[in-house]
Amino acid sequence: MINGHTEIVAHIGFPTHAFKAPMIYNPWFEKAGVNAIVVPMGCQSDDYATFLRSVFQLANIRGALITMPHKVVTTALVDEVLPTAAIAGACNAVRRLPDGRLQGDMFDGEGFVRGVLRKGRVLKGARVLVVGCGGVGSAIAASLAAAGVAAITLFDARAESGEALGERLRTHYPMLQVVTGSNDPAGHDVVVNATPMGMNDGDAMPMDVSRIAPTTFVGEVVMKTEMTAFLSAAAARGCPYQIGSDMLFEQIPAYLEYFGFPSTTPEMLRSVATLKY
């Protein structure tokens, strides 16, 4: 039921037909009795800077979810960028502070980290490998650093992307050991595929799976299918793993907390979601 007390979470991007958030948040809001709604808002790039400021003029807006193609440019449009978003070079959440300023943060990596921790894996002091240093890989690397990993190895097909991410990590986490340019998973406690590679049978793998130890935790970001060819190969070696959609469901409680809503669990979200892949 939408009424005069309903609070809005704007879901801003373009095009809107692939948006998943309304099919997860809105059923949960209804189940929990939260008078709020996530509304898809299709905004093209030329209009975005003006629209972002305008939508926060609404008295009943609680926050905004930001998706493609606006995540990167948002960092330059808000008044404050929190460290994880600064390292990632992108924002996917914006809220209005009590003084009226807009603050941006990034939760893709937080979702990944929460999922790993809830599966009982210890990240503090761990050695991790992240393959793919685009938006999602950068966000995961930033959140892994915040979680207290001791060392992180970064690899991207575009070497300059890995180097740039490494420099941002060193700036914010000077005690973190950062290595770039290698996708060898040997010697790592956690490895992450943050690329589309290994999605389908026959694809090149993002790393040499035979070099992954059976004790290494393996993470995936692809959501098209739960068991990608890469995850299947890692599971065959006995590795514990995390599927891509876990990152999505695990980050939503973090978003809810950021926007000041009651939190919930990924299990509850999955039980009510109308999301279909």
Side-chain angles (χ1 to χ4, degrees):
M1 174 64 69
I2 298 173
N3 56 35
H5 298 284
T6 303
E7 293 188 280
I8 296 170
V9 177
H11 190 188
I12 310 172
F14 189 85
T16 61
H17 60 76
F19 283 12
K20 299 179 178 68
M23 297 178 283
I24 304 172
Y25 285 83
N26 292 335
W28 183 78
F29 284 149
E30 183 176 3
K31 174 80 171 179
V34 175
N35 194 353
I37 186 169
V38 172
V39 181
M41 297 185 180
C43 181
Q44 299 200 49
S45 296
D46 289 347
D47 303 315
Y48 177 61
T50 301
F51 180 73
L52 180 66
R53 286 283 169 180
S54 297
V55 79
F56 274 96
Q57 296 301 308
L58 295 174
N60 63 330
I61 190 167
R62 183 67 79 93
L65 307 171
I66 310 298
T67 190
M68 297 302 290
H70 306 314
K71 290 183 181 182
V72 173
V73 71
T74 300
T75 61
L77 299 177
V78 296
D79 303 300
E80 180 183 1
V81 179
L82 293 181
T84 301
I87 295 170
C91 293
N92 65 0
V94 176
R95 67 181 177 183
R96 184 173 54 207
L97 298 174
D99 62 6
R101 292 181 307 129
L102 298 186
Q103 180 191 77
D105 205 351
M106 167 58 77
F107 288 100
D108 284 346
E110 176 70 12
F112 182 88
V113 164
R114 286 189 182 209
V116 174
L117 293 174
R118 275 169 35 87
K119 293 175 179 66
R121 198 72 180 196
V122 175
L123 288 175
K124 192 171 182 62
R127 303 181 65 84
V128 302
L129 167 66
V130 177
V131 177
C133 298
V136 67
S138 295
I140 288 171
S143 292
L144 286 168
V149 301
I152 189 164
T153 302
L154 305 170
F155 180 83
D156 194 275
R158 295 174 65 251
E160 59 271 27
S161 294
E163 291 290 344
L165 174 57
E167 285 305 309
R168 296 195 298 273
L169 284 167
R170 293 183 187 102
T171 297
H172 288 271
Y173 297 96
M175 300 302 293
L176 177 66
Q177 180 184 340
V178 180
V179 176
T180 61
S182 172
N183 65 343
D184 183 4
H188 292 90
D189 304 301
V190 178
V191 299
V192 186
N193 175 36
T195 79
M197 297 174 67
M199 183 189 303
N200 303 307
D201 290 333
D203 280 359
M205 290 290 172
M207 63 192 76
D208 184 350
V209 177
S210 70
R211 299 272 294 167
I212 304 176
T215 54
T216 297
F217 188 95
V218 178
E220 175 67 277
V221 304
V222 171
M223 299 185 196
K224 182 181 177 182
T225 181
E226 285 201 349
M227 292 304 294
T228 61
F230 170 64
L231 270 192
S232 296
R237 292 186 59 75
C239 298
Y241 60 85
Q242 176 164 283
I243 62 175
S245 64
D246 280 357
M247 183 175 69
L248 174 64
F249 283 94
E250 290 279 358
Q251 72 182 272
I252 290 177
Y255 273 116
L256 292 170
E257 294 158 18
Y258 183 68
F259 292 139
F261 289 118
S263 194
T264 186
T265 65
E267 291 79 13
M268 177 59 72
L269 292 166
R270 284 185 183 275
S271 73
V272 299
T274 58
L275 179 63
K276 297 292 186 290
Y277 289 98

